[in-house]
Amino acid sequence: MKVGFIQLSPVLGDLDATMSKVKKHMDRFTAADLVVLPELCNSGYNFESSQQARDTAEPVESSVFLEYLHSVCVRHDRYIVTGFNERDGDRLYNSAILIGPGGICGKYRKLHLFLNEKDIFTPGDVGLPVFDVSGCKLGLLICFDWVFPEAWRVLALKGADVICHPSNLVIPRLAQTAIPVHALINRVYVITANRTGREGDLSFTGLSTIAGPRGEILCQAGPSEEESGLVEIDLAAARDKMVTPRNHLLQDRRPDEYLDIVKS
Ligand code: ACM
């Protein structure tokens, strides 16, 4: 299975301009089975007002952006995960959408909102789902979710082979240091598609990463250029959870001793 990311800088509030950037990279990506795009890719991130966030949000069912991505999936027989500014009635969600040749086949809404996102978005309410894509189990997390090891572990316990992680990371190198560790301690592949560029007072940190189940960095973008990355992965490596011949990563856990984790 060939998986990749597109690292770019969406144009805040200008969907047409963002889509021509996405198209430029997508057209070159002929071999990919799965491609991950950054967080809030249809709108940009650092909104000047709540109204701008609302104006740039789209319902999943009538999104021009998702319709374009669906046409790419049909043309190339591929799956795409994109960050998505989702409007659902009066509410906005910071979402990740999974699309394939048959249309939209998965959705996750960010659980852990970062800074001013708390003023704009409703916290996620669809849990931590795992989706089956041609025999590969895909989990979805968004950007700041990376800080919470519980979320990664839940996805691993649900059988995720690959965790797709659309991001707009702003703290230099912090998440990029942790991503291979989350991959290592859960024995999963992680595809972090980060963005670059600046919006107002925020600079985005690039270094989009594909990490493997042994903590290895399989592919990493630079800190500031728009670029894409593609690697071949072997799902068997994520499904082998034996740390030693006598230690299984998940079966050797002692959940009775971890009850404090689930107290609020
Ligand atoms: C972030 O969650 N966009 C930092």
Side-chain angles (χ1 to χ4, degrees):
M1 180 175 188
K2 288 200 172 122
V3 303
F5 59 74
I6 295 178
Q7 168 171 296
L8 49 71
S9 173
V11 184
L12 183 66
D14 188 341
L15 183 55
D16 287 344
T18 299
M19 275 175 46
S20 32
K21 287 187 180 208
V22 174
K23 275 180 189 158
K24 196 178 83 187
H25 291 280
M26 276 295 178
D27 289 347
R28 288 201 218 117
F29 237 148
T30 46
D33 300 307
L34 169 69
V35 177
V36 184
L37 291 164
E39 180 182 13
L40 295 180
C41 196
N42 61 329
S43 63
Y45 181 80
N46 196 12
F47 304 108
E48 283 149 23
S49 63
S50 303
Q51 191 57 45
Q52 187 183 37
R54 188 159 294 278
D55 291 345
T56 55
E58 297 175 289
V60 169
E61 313 74 43
S62 56
S63 159
V64 174
F65 186 58
L66 296 181
E67 194 181 301
Y68 157 66
L69 294 181
H70 179 225
S71 72
V72 174
C73 293
V74 171
R75 194 159 59 244
H76 295 293
D77 192 23
R78 100 169 25 138
Y79 288 82
I80 295 174
V81 172
T82 185
F84 185 70
N85 182 1
E86 181 194 359
R87 188 166 67 240
D88 183 1
D90 286 344
R91 296 185 168 176
L92 300 188
Y93 293 93
N94 184 338
S95 298
I97 306 293
L98 169 65
I99 317 161
I104 290 165
C105 44
K107 179 164 80 176
Y108 164 71
R109 289 170 165 169
K110 188 176 187 178
L111 287 177
H112 307 97
L113 298 176
F114 183 68
L115 286 174
N116 301 346
E117 292 175 33
K118 294 186 179 198
D119 303 328
I120 295 169
F121 297 106
T122 300
D125 54 6
V126 294
L128 289 159
V130 167
F131 304 98
D132 199 320
V133 162
S134 311
C136 168
K137 293 266 177 81
L138 281 190
L140 309 174
L141 292 176
I142 301 175
C143 205
F144 190 56
D145 285 329
W146 74 266
V147 174
F148 301 90
E150 298 88 344
W152 298 90
R153 182 47 61 95
V154 166
L155 292 176
L157 285 167
K158 289 183 174 179
D161 302 306
V162 177
I163 297 180
C164 302
H165 181 222
S167 294
N168 280 188
L169 295 160
V170 291
I171 306 173
R173 291 192 178 268
L174 208 57
Q176 289 91 341
T177 304
I179 295 309
V181 179
H182 285 305
L184 170 77
I185 62 180
N186 291 290
R187 288 257 174 128
V188 292
Y189 288 95
V190 179
I191 309 167
T192 296
N194 194 21
R195 60 161 292 177
T196 56
R198 228 189 129 74
E199 278 174 9
D201 56 348
L202 291 183
S203 290
F204 301 94
T205 57
L207 299 174
S208 295
T209 300
I210 304 177
R214 300 295 183 276
E216 66 276 40
I217 294 178
L218 300 171
C219 179
Q220 191 165 59
S224 47
E225 296 304 310
E226 297 197 343
E227 57 185 289
S228 50
L230 183 71
V231 296
E232 174 118 37
I233 63 170
D234 174 12
L235 296 183
R239 290 175 184 173
D240 173 8
K241 301 293 193 200
M242 297 308 293
V243 181
T244 76
R246 297 188 59 190
N247 294 100
H248 188 281
L249 183 72
L250 301 177
Q251 289 164 9
D252 277 17
R253 288 173 313 115
R254 299 287 310 279
D256 291 352
E257 302 293 340
Y258 309 153
L259 297 179
D260 283 347
I261 285 181
V262 292
K263 285 188 195 148
S264 21

